[in-house]
Amino acid sequence: MTVRNTRLRVTRPLGAAATVLVATVALYMALVAFGNITDFGTNQEFVRHVLAMDTTFKDEDLMWRSIDSPMVQNIAYIAIIGWETVAALVLIAATVQWALALRSGEFGRARRVATLGLLMVLLLFGAGFIAVGGEWFAMWQSDAWNGLDAATRNFLVAGLTLVVVHLPAGADPRRPGD
């Protein structure tokens, strides 16, 4: 009688780490998008206040940047939700690709798809929330509507995940796409 070892053996630990990290960011982005769709009003208020700059120091040299149009504010918010949703879907697809790559050892496609999704997250939180929201609309000045800490946290997690994704997770150096 033969006894098979049924314990999980991780033969590609960096690939497993990349898979878990990509899956975590995918789950987070899916929950963020879902929350913004099902509880539209909560973060709509956040976007409205940031764009209106109504809780900043109201420096006249900056206030010309404010956007008070509810239509433009809603368009911006819907665009953010759309971007979050697409990023989540891309990262879910990347998670599947990573899971398949753990068996096959072919990491090229998983890396490419994950990179696209992670760059979308970096753009949203880095360019969108930190640069545009934080600096252009002076979100840093607001005690009530300041999302810079959360944006920075999300930016760093996505950035770290991107670095891990590009570590050589069992890649064959003779195969340039891996």
Side-chain angles (χ1 to χ4, degrees), residues 4-134:
R4 292 180 45 188
N5 183 354
T6 58
R7 288 187 299 187
L8 175 65
R9 196 174 114 207
V10 178
T11 57
R12 295 180 174 92
L14 281 174
T19 304
V20 169
L21 286 168
V22 170
T24 300
V25 178
L27 175 62
Y28 177 78
M29 291 305 297
L31 292 174
V32 167
F34 180 77
N36 284 337
I37 291 166
T38 59
D39 181 19
F40 190 84
T42 299
N43 282 327
Q44 180 185 32
E45 281 299 299
F46 174 83
V47 171
R48 187 181 72 74
H49 285 290
V50 169
L51 295 180
M53 300 173 67
D54 57 1
T55 60
T56 64
F57 302 160
K58 295 190 174 132
D59 183 336
E60 63 186 49
D61 293 332
L62 299 179
M63 291 307 291
W64 64 269
R65 301 174 184 177
S66 69
I67 298 174
D68 296 316
S69 165
M71 183 176 70
V72 174
Q73 292 169 347
N74 286 335
I75 289 169
Y77 184 47
I78 291 167
I80 290 168
I81 294 171
W83 191 267
E84 291 166 345
T85 303
V86 172
L89 293 172
V90 169
L91 288 167
I92 290 167
T95 300
V96 171
Q97 291 297 319
W98 273 99
L100 294 172
L102 286 175
R103 285 188 168 262
S104 70
E106 302 288 328
F107 293 95
R109 176 175 285 166
R111 279 194 177 98
R112 288 188 297 275
V113 177
T115 298
L116 174 62
L118 292 166
L119 288 175
M120 290 180 73
V121 174
L122 290 170
L123 282 169
L124 176 66
F125 290 108
F129 287 98
I130 296 171
V132 175

